[in-house]
Amino acid sequence: MIIDIHGHYTTAPKALEDWRNRQIAGLKDASLTPKVSELSISDDDLRETIEQNQLRLMKERGADLTIFSPRASFMAHHIGDFNTSATWAAICNELCYRVAQLFPEHFIGAAMLPQSPGVDPKTCLPELEKCVKEYGFVGINLNPDPSGGHWTSPPLSDRHWYPIYEKMVELDIPAMIHVSTSCNSCFHTTGAHYINADTTAFMQCLTSDLFKDFPTLKFVIPHGGGAAPYHWGRYRGLAQELKKPLLEEHLLNNIFFDTCVYHQPGIDLLTHVIPLKNVLFASEMIGAVRGIDPTTGHYYDDTKRYIEAAKLTAEQRHLIYEGNARRVYPRLDAALKAQGR
């Protein structure tokens, strides 16, 4: 079985974006604020957007199941206040739940949180619990920088985040550490801000003893872990200078990387440097990089091709494609077993 742990609803019906634009306009003129009931998206609308896009490509490329969450760049936690984010997160999460209900063999949800700069993360817990307990979601996306590129929040090791971690441990779910749109012109959203955030999150964990407080906490750092695998010697050396344990002991029981790396040398490096028990298959399809690589004639984000071409055994590929996902996402494993898979 091939499980893609990193998918976003980037192809949602245009009515969703139109409603969001009205919500944003309402921040300046309250009379323009739409009601939630004014958003009308039918099951047929959802089927059309999924069948013609994500599901079509999954079948063409050979993926079986995608962990599906709201569009990351649309989370935009820096817009409005907590109430703005709470309403928007609830709408986006419900759409992903409906997709999973319509296509239960192919999609299962992960939740966007209603984060807002400077707001206590405890405010996210009701939406988190609803998504896990009522919707059957198997993970969350946690934005370490709700300010949108200005990094006004404490590091992930700070007690500020502990309410989220306590609930994650209680519910036995991992968090993908995933920022949203950058509103800082210094950082391109997908080319810089995303990769910077992946690297920053890894380093915040390296310099701390977070996992002593939460030994079962699990983070997935997407996009291949940012710069971490490429500069593994640097991080091993920094950990040594900081008198931390070896990285395998210090971080790799708790931190995992996905395969959203869009060329063969990158995947080869990832699977050579990082222990394979820490690598989970993902494509982020349909996402930031949608074109065809002129040197190969294939889509950049067809990451299964890279795994197939890598120097791996069948057993190692199984770990990346399925085994690690079932271990890191216990609720996913339980859901699959309930389906007889």
Side-chain angles (χ1 to χ4, degrees):
M1 184 175 188
I2 297 179
I3 301 169
D4 186 335
I5 66 152
H6 189 169
H8 300 298
Y9 198 1
T10 54
T11 61
K14 190 174 183 299
L16 180 67
E17 182 178 359
D18 292 342
W19 189 95
R20 174 63 162 172
N21 288 337
R22 292 176 61 198
Q23 185 193 38
I24 294 171
L27 297 173
K28 293 183 178 180
D29 181 351
S31 68
L32 300 177
T33 303
K35 297 178 181 177
V36 174
S37 60
E38 293 174 22
L39 176 61
S40 178
I41 296 176
S42 70
D43 285 353
D44 285 343
D45 293 333
L46 298 181
R47 287 191 188 94
E48 181 179 1
T49 61
I50 294 297
E51 289 175 346
Q52 294 183 8
N53 294 289
Q54 282 88 351
L55 187 56
R56 174 180 60 83
L57 291 173
M58 286 170 63
K59 291 179 177 179
E60 289 178 5
R61 299 177 186 183
D64 298 298
L65 176 77
T66 296
I67 297 179
F68 206 52
S69 61
R71 185 173 180 174
S73 62
F74 271 26
M75 295 192 297
H77 294 118
H78 61 280
I79 293 176
D81 57 14
F82 170 74
N83 290 327
T84 308
S85 286
T87 302
W88 180 232
I91 286 172
C92 293
N93 286 329
E94 184 183 22
L95 286 181
C96 289
Y97 168 66
R98 289 174 59 193
V99 168
Q101 292 294 105
L102 290 170
F103 303 97
E105 292 187 359
H106 299 291
F107 296 93
I108 195 165
M112 163 188 170
L113 299 181
Q115 296 176 245
S116 188
V119 177
D120 190 335
K122 285 182 181 177
T123 57
C124 296
L125 297 184
E127 181 68 18
L128 189 163
E129 286 202 276
K130 179 189 73 178
C131 287
V132 173
K133 294 182 177 180
E134 298 180 24
Y135 290 172
F137 283 14
V138 298
I140 60 172
N141 291 340
L142 180 64
N143 185 350
D145 174 36
S147 70
H150 295 288
W151 292 92
T152 57
S153 294
L156 290 170
S157 54
D158 192 271
R159 297 190 69 87
H160 169 82
W161 301 100
Y162 276 28
I164 300 288
Y165 301 159
E166 289 164 358
K167 188 58 64 174
M168 287 171 58
V169 169
E170 175 191 331
L171 297 175
D172 203 9
I173 56 170
M176 179 171 283
I177 306 301
H178 206 310
V179 289
S180 184
T181 298
S182 170
C183 59
N184 182 337
S185 60
C186 294
F187 305 116
H188 182 276
T189 292
T190 55
H193 186 43
Y194 281 16
I195 309 303
N196 294 347
D198 303 334
T199 310
T200 298
F202 181 83
M203 193 63 195
Q204 288 177 356
C205 294
L206 187 153
T207 57
S208 75
D209 293 310
L210 173 62
F211 301 122
K212 288 185 178 179
D213 286 351
F214 296 98
T216 62
L217 188 68
K218 294 188 288 289
F219 289 159
V220 176
I221 299 184
H223 318 114
Y230 187 75
H231 289 284
W232 201 243
R234 173 182 291 261
Y235 294 113
R236 289 176 58 237
L238 288 169
Q240 184 174 312
E241 291 181 14
L242 292 167
K243 310 300 181 186
K244 300 296 183 183
L246 295 175
L247 291 185
E248 287 76 7
E249 176 187 346
H250 185 44
L251 298 180
L252 293 188
N253 291 318
N254 307 88
I255 288 180
F256 305 86
F257 304 92
D258 77 13
T259 63
C260 292
V261 179
Y262 296 145
H263 66 149
Q264 191 67 50
I267 289 291
D268 291 343
L269 182 143
L270 176 68
T271 55
H272 178 72
V273 172
I274 302 301
L276 294 182
K277 70 180 181 66
N278 292 82
V279 179
L280 284 71
F281 178 72
S283 69
E284 202 175 7
M285 173 276 295
I286 300 168
V289 181
R290 304 186 182 194
I292 293 175
D293 184 342
T295 65
T296 66
H298 300 293
Y299 285 95
Y300 286 100
D301 63 2
D302 187 357
T303 52
K304 181 172 177 284
R305 288 184 174 273
Y306 309 137
I307 301 300
E308 291 298 310
K311 293 180 180 179
L312 300 168
T313 66
E315 182 180 355
Q316 290 170 331
R317 287 192 182 89
H318 171 75
L319 278 178
I320 293 171
Y321 283 145
E322 177 180 358
N324 293 336
R326 285 181 179 266
R327 178 169 50 88
V328 175
Y329 291 82
R331 287 179 175 266
L332 169 64
D333 183 51
L336 289 173
K337 287 177 178 174
Q339 293 178 352
R341 294 197 281 176

